[in-house]
Amino acid sequence: TGSGDTKNDTPQQKVLSARDKALQTLGLAKGATATDVKKASRKLIMQWHPDRNPDNLDKATEVSKERNSAYEKLRNMTDDDLQ
């Protein structure tokens, strides 16, 4: 410690890959299956659809856009790709 060596960064300091960020957006961890991705995506759609959240439209729209982006990155990946 104190050596200034950055090789021992904590996991929180690591740069996440696009896949890992997308999984995180959907509330999933590395190792999720394609079925998990689909279920989590649908759950977010139902929970945060703008029509279901008229009193919180800005947040609902933001979450919907983030979910769409995450799902687009993950939707064609196989279970092996998600590992």
Side-chain angles (χ1 to χ4, degrees), residues 47-61:
Q47 181 180 357
W48 284 103
H49 192 282
D51 290 346
R52 290 179 173 234
N53 293 280
D55 295 335
N56 201 358
L57 193 56
D58 291 339
K59 176 71 174 174
T61 301

Side-chain angles (χ1 to χ4, degrees), residues 38-66:
K38 194 175 213 177
K39 285 180 181 179
S41 176
R42 287 182 177 177
K43 181 180 176 183
L44 279 176
I45 289 170
M46 297 304 288
Q47 181 180 357
W48 284 103
H49 192 282
D51 290 346
R52 290 179 173 234
N53 293 280
D55 295 335
N56 201 358
L57 193 56
D58 291 339
K59 176 71 174 174
T61 301
E62 177 186 337
V63 171
S64 293
K65 286 179 183 178
E66 290 173 1

Side-chain angles (χ1 to χ4, degrees), residues 6-77:
T6 59
K7 291 180 184 177
N8 294 324
D9 287 346
T10 63
Q12 294 82 11
Q13 293 172 325
K14 286 185 179 178
V15 176
L16 294 176
S17 70
R19 180 199 64 209
D20 291 344
K21 286 180 186 178
L23 286 169
Q24 189 176 53
T25 297
L26 296 179
L28 300 171
K30 189 174 178 179
T33 65
T35 301
D36 295 335
V37 169
K38 194 175 213 177
K39 285 180 181 179
S41 176
R42 287 182 177 177
K43 181 180 176 183
L44 279 176
I45 289 170
M46 297 304 288
Q47 181 180 357
W48 284 103
H49 192 282
D51 290 346
R52 290 179 173 234
N53 293 280
D55 295 335
N56 201 358
L57 193 56
D58 291 339
K59 176 71 174 174
T61 301
E62 177 186 337
V63 171
S64 293
K65 286 179 183 178
E66 290 173 1
R67 173 259 161 219
N68 290 341
S69 177
Y71 187 69
E72 282 301 310
K73 286 180 181 71
L74 299 172
R75 72 184 179 116
N76 293 321
M77 289 188 176

